Amino acid sequence: MTDAVVPTEQVAGKSLWRDAWLRLRANRAAMTSLFLLVIIALACVFGPMLSPHPYDRVYQAYVKVPPSVSPRPSDAEVERALETALRRGGVEIEGAVVEGGVVQVTLTSEREIDPRVTRLIDRSDVFSEASVLSQSTDGRRLVLSAMVNQNRFLMGTDQNGRDLLTRILIGGRVSLTIGILATLVALAIGVTYGAISGYMGGRVDNMMMRIVDVLYSLPFMFFVIMLVVFFGRNFVLMFIAVGAIEWLDMARIVRGQTLSLKRREFVEAAQAMGVRTPAIIRRHIVPNTLGPVVVYMTLMVPKVILLESFLSFLGLGVQEPLTSWGVLISEGAKNIQGASWLLIYPSLFLAVTLFCLNFIGDGLRDALDPKDR
Amino acid sequence: MLRYVLRRLLGALPTLLVIVTVAFFLIRVAPGGPFNLERPLPPQIMENLLAYYQLDQPLWRQYFNYIGGLLTGDLGPSYVYRDFTVDQLLRQGLPVSIQLGGTALLLAIGVGTALGTFAALRQNRAGDVGVMTVAMVGITIPNFVMAPVLTLIFAIWLGWLPAGGWGEGALINKLLPVFTLALPQIAVIARLTRGSMIEVLRADHVRTARANGLPPRVVTLRALRGALLPVVSYLGPAAAALLTGSVVIETIFGIPGIGRYFVQGALNRDYTLVMGTVVTIALFIVVFNLLVDLLYAVLDPKVRYD
């Protein structure tokens, strides 16, 4: 007994989280998803700042223009825009020449042309800094020039003439924020509730879980719609409330974990040393339940994003001019005839995000699952 | 068996009562009422309306009136669809929703278990990966994206199917909604079946069956019986949800089911209509949970209810 082999070399230990991270890194689907998700999140956070178009800027000249890489307007569009701009001016357009981002137009009329006609042109989104070059002596002929504003709409514009890409990114901000916010609320409530219920056991546990059961059996949609009715359009409040409903599963998971944890030696040791119950729950129970909780959390974010999109789809979510992926998709669904990009791009963003979150969740589950070791 | 069913149904009554009570008071405390229009009604008319629908009585009396009506099967008049009782509205809508949901359910069970078994038998090979990728798509893409995208492809670009409408239940009108409804269910069922099938295929009784020289098809069918348990327990609530209609599908495809009533009723404060749908949904959930438990006894010889 005395000459038991003592390891001379220290074996480098691997913590649970480090081990999980290594396994996750080996999971190609999860890592690709993580990478994509980070890109989407960064784009949503910083994209709208970099975008030349504010998300609520309406370009009346460009309603429902299809996506394209080349800048607008094209030459044909310049003429159309001129016609639209001068419709009320009572003048005829004789010829327009576009050169190097400047358009030169000759206008004729039966009466004398008011040089203030430039204001009409400036009012259009397409032109700026219109100025009179020359006017014939009788005033019926006027040559003016104006800068042509070049605009790029990579994903086209919506039915009000707003840049779709910027709106998708802003919508992504809303959707992702909501997803994270509601999940954190659910996390806080669920973990606390579940840990207390599991740790206290007995009658307290029984009662607390019965409450969960009753809440479970109420139709979820009913709750959500009632919340919309209560909080009106106050979006943030509503999603805190949604988080406050979504905690049920979390509470069950944490309770199950706690039940097995509280019989473990380290908890008993803490009890024997006289650590008080709240401290035990905080220091010993909760940190050890985090594995499944983290997995469940990644799977809950897409659920909440979906819920938000669903509510927005029904018209109960974010209000104009702010937007979210659900709102954009529902507007796209109304415009599928003739403007299919309005449906396709937001759907693509939503689907890719949901995919990524699901893959990461699956990857995390595999990485944290001790059964698999 | 019969005693068990009766006991379960009786046991569900308190749950139903709680649901009805909570729903009743929740919708009542919500601000607004069924007759609050954008332009307010003259007070005299409002008073008469409230008196006509007995909404001027104290809340607790209204509650007992409602429960009383419920016990005799009277769900009350709809406040917004003035010419209809809630009973009539549900009677019109429910068959449509059940037809659609039922077809989707059968499709989901058939295709889902088949795909799941197929994937389990080819674990980690190309067929498995393929099925699971499709399942991931089915689970991830929400139906309010899937429905318009499918409409775009099949109704607008290809022009094969109608974009919406019920068409008195014509088959061609049902294809898109049924498929959209079934797809996520197919995906979930396939995943569940695959997971439990992989476990069951490794179990002793299956190995014994194989060792006895039973043909692979018989072995698979035997294994499937045990593997279906998690699928069945998932199907309880899922079936109830499918059969009581989907707001999204009914809105997008313009189908006159009862899914819409729920949302519309809540937004219009059509108290009785909301309560009617809540009661219907709750009943479906209770019944299907019971069916699930009974099916368990059929599938798993270890479960007995006598």
Side-chain angles (χ1 to χ4, degrees):
Chain A
M1 286 305 249
T2 43
D3 52 8
V5 184
V6 177
T8 44
E9 275 172 63
Q10 197 86 46
V11 180
K14 259 193 284 181
S15 78
L16 170 76
W17 294 104
R18 172 142 185 78
D19 189 34
W21 171 240
L22 286 176
R23 284 149 153 287
L24 189 66
R25 273 235 311 250
N27 185 336
R28 221 183 307 152
M31 284 322 281
T32 317
S33 304
L34 193 60
F35 180 68
L36 260 179
L37 192 66
V38 168
I39 289 185
I40 291 182
L42 286 178
C44 289
V45 173
F46 297 109
M49 299 176 202
L50 303 176
S51 163
H53 315 288
Y55 72 96
D56 50 358
R57 164 84 196 269
V58 172
Y59 293 93
Q60 272 156 355
Y62 305 113
V63 171
K64 280 201 213 173
V65 295
S68 87
V69 196
S70 58
R72 294 179 181 282
S74 62
D75 290 358
E77 279 170 327
V78 169
E79 251 168 79
R80 213 170 330 126
L82 272 174
E83 275 168 34
T84 325
L86 292 170
R87 204 170 23 195
R88 297 240 219 104
V91 291
E92 297 285 321
I93 301 169
E94 250 198 15
V97 189
V98 189
E99 217 182 86
V102 178
V103 66
Q104 218 176 80
V105 210
T106 314
L107 304 174
T108 54
S109 173
E110 314 204 322
R111 285 175 287 129
E112 191 177 333
I113 302 179
D114 189 336
R116 284 179 295 178
V117 75
T118 52
R119 288 192 201 165
L120 285 178
I121 292 185
D122 274 340
R123 215 177 282 163
S124 161
D125 303 314
V126 184
F127 308 106
S128 57
E129 294 173 34
S131 59
V132 178
L133 289 184
S134 64
Q135 191 164 18
S136 61
T137 41
D138 60 351
R140 289 196 200 156
R141 195 178 173 80
L142 184 139
V143 180
L144 56 75
S145 77
M147 305 275 288
V148 179
N149 297 335
Q150 301 274 323
N151 280 306
R152 247 177 250 269
F153 300 102
L154 291 178
M155 293 188 180
T157 58
D158 68 0
Q159 68 278 17
N160 292 326
R162 293 172 295 193
D163 180 45
L164 186 61
L165 177 60
T166 317
R167 286 186 74 69
I168 289 177
L169 294 179
I170 282 283
R173 260 191 203 176
V174 172
S175 291
L176 291 174
T177 317
I178 295 295
I180 294 167
L181 197 71
T183 306
L184 287 181
V185 172
L187 179 82
I189 302 180
V191 170
T192 322
Y193 196 95
I196 292 176
S197 174
Y199 188 77
M200 301 305 258
R203 203 181 287 164
V204 179
D205 180 34
N206 233 330
M207 213 180 64
M208 286 176 84
M209 280 300 122
R210 190 47 45 84
I211 294 175
V212 170
D213 286 344
V214 168
L215 289 179
Y216 246 114
S217 57
L218 276 169
F220 177 69
M221 269 309 294
F222 179 74
F223 254 132
V224 173
I225 291 174
M226 288 315 297
L227 286 174
V228 179
V229 167
F230 268 115
F231 291 118
R233 308 299 189 191
N234 189 335
F235 209 62
V236 177
L237 256 187
M238 204 183 92
F239 271 87
I240 290 177
V242 166
I245 297 176
E246 283 273 0
W247 58 272
L248 298 172
D249 288 315
M250 196 77 93
R252 284 196 168 171
I253 293 171
V254 173
R255 172 181 171 268
Q257 290 276 312
T258 310
L259 284 181
S260 66
L261 278 174
K262 72 173 178 184
R263 296 272 164 265
R264 298 275 289 275
E265 294 82 351
F266 60 91
V267 177
E268 278 172 2
Q271 284 164 341
M273 275 158 49
V275 182
R276 292 191 330 180
T277 309
I280 294 182
I281 292 180
R282 210 170 44 238
R283 286 289 302 278
H284 299 289
I285 303 283
V286 171
N288 282 301
T289 60
L290 282 187
V293 166
V294 166
V295 173
Y296 190 72
M297 226 175 79
T298 32
L299 295 177
M300 193 156 137
V301 176
K303 251 169 78 183
V304 177
I305 291 181
L306 258 186
L307 181 69
E308 180 277 324
S309 305
F310 172 69
L311 283 178
S312 297
F313 185 86
L314 294 177
L316 304 175
V318 215
Q319 299 299 304
E320 286 284 333
L322 206 64
T323 190
S324 80
W325 286 339
V327 177
L328 290 171
I329 291 170
S330 99
E331 277 168 7
K334 283 179 205 141
N335 286 303
I336 41 176
Q337 216 133 16
S340 50
W341 62 89
L342 285 182
L343 172 67
I344 293 171
Y345 288 112
S347 306
L348 211 63
F349 268 81
L350 178 68
V352 169
T353 307
L354 294 178
F355 264 115
C356 291
L357 283 165
N358 276 317
F359 276 122
I360 295 172
D362 279 0
L364 272 175
R365 180 167 47 212
D366 293 345
L368 285 165
D369 190 357
K371 255 198 292 183
D372 218 27
R373 217 144 283 199
Chain B
M1 191 70 149
L2 195 65
R3 273 190 53 193
Y4 172 75
V5 173
L6 280 178
R7 213 174 55 225
R8 276 288 300 269
L9 286 179
L10 279 180
L13 280 182
T15 321
L16 281 179
L17 189 67
V18 170
I19 293 176
V20 169
T21 310
V22 173
F24 183 90
F25 286 104
L26 257 182
I27 184 103
R28 287 312 169 98
V29 268
F35 308 115
N36 292 6
L37 308 176
E38 290 203 2
R39 217 171 44 140
L41 292 171
Q44 191 58 47
I45 294 181
M46 189 68 149
E47 221 167 85
N48 286 343
L49 265 176
L50 291 181
Y52 178 77
Y53 287 114
Q54 299 181 330
L55 288 172
D56 53 346
Q57 295 179 3
L59 200 56
W60 60 269
R61 187 174 288 164
Q62 289 183 41
Y63 172 69
F64 284 112
N65 280 346
Y66 187 78
I67 297 289
L70 209 55
L71 289 178
T72 55
D74 175 17
L75 293 169
S78 166
Y79 298 141
V80 174
Y81 304 94
R82 296 281 166 75
D83 297 331
F84 297 92
T85 63
V86 172
D87 198 45
Q88 284 169 328
L89 287 173
L90 293 182
R91 236 175 253 267
Q92 285 170 9
L94 203 53
V96 174
S97 291
I98 289 183
Q99 227 181 68
L100 216 57
T103 323
L105 187 65
L106 291 180
L107 186 72
I109 296 174
V111 178
T113 46
L115 283 179
T117 315
F118 173 84
L121 291 175
R122 284 166 187 67
Q123 198 190 344
N124 294 336
R125 279 190 270 161
D128 179 26
V129 176
V131 169
M132 283 305 109
T133 312
V134 174
M136 194 63 159
V137 173
I139 289 177
T140 313
I141 297 187
N143 53 7
F144 60 85
V145 173
M146 197 50 102
V149 169
L150 287 179
T151 316
L152 181 67
I153 296 174
F154 289 102
I156 293 173
W157 286 348
L158 296 175
W160 291 348
L161 299 170
W166 180 234
E168 304 297 320
L171 179 68
I172 196 160
N173 286 63
K174 277 190 220 156
L175 288 178
L176 276 184
V178 164
F179 181 72
T180 326
L181 269 177
L183 188 66
Q185 309 298 337
I186 292 177
V188 175
I189 293 175
R191 278 175 87 153
L192 285 173
T193 313
R194 174 183 178 270
S196 60
M197 196 63 178
I198 285 175
E199 240 165 69
V200 174
L201 282 175
R202 287 192 199 132
D204 294 339
H205 71 276
V206 175
R207 199 173 3 160
T208 312
R210 214 178 274 145
N212 279 338
L214 287 177
R217 207 160 50 93
V218 179
V219 176
T220 310
L221 281 180
R222 272 201 190 179
L224 190 60
R225 183 173 156 175
L228 279 184
L229 284 174
V231 178
V232 167
S233 54
Y234 165 76
L235 276 180
L242 273 180
L243 295 179
T244 46
S246 148
V247 193
V248 174
I249 300 295
E250 289 178 10
T251 318
I252 293 181
F253 292 110
I255 289 164
I258 66 164
R260 305 162 298 150
Y261 288 149
F262 191 41
V263 176
Q264 280 171 13
L267 292 181
N268 294 334
R269 310 288 188 284
D270 196 344
Y271 299 141
T272 43
L273 187 57
V274 173
M275 293 304 297
T277 37
V278 168
V279 170
T280 315
I281 293 173
L283 270 180
F284 267 84
I285 291 178
V286 166
V287 169
F288 275 91
N289 278 337
L290 178 61
L291 280 181
V292 163
D293 286 350
L294 293 180
L295 255 181
Y296 250 79
V298 175
L299 286 173
D300 186 351
K302 276 180 283 184
V303 180
R304 291 257 187 281
Y305 294 123
D306 295 326

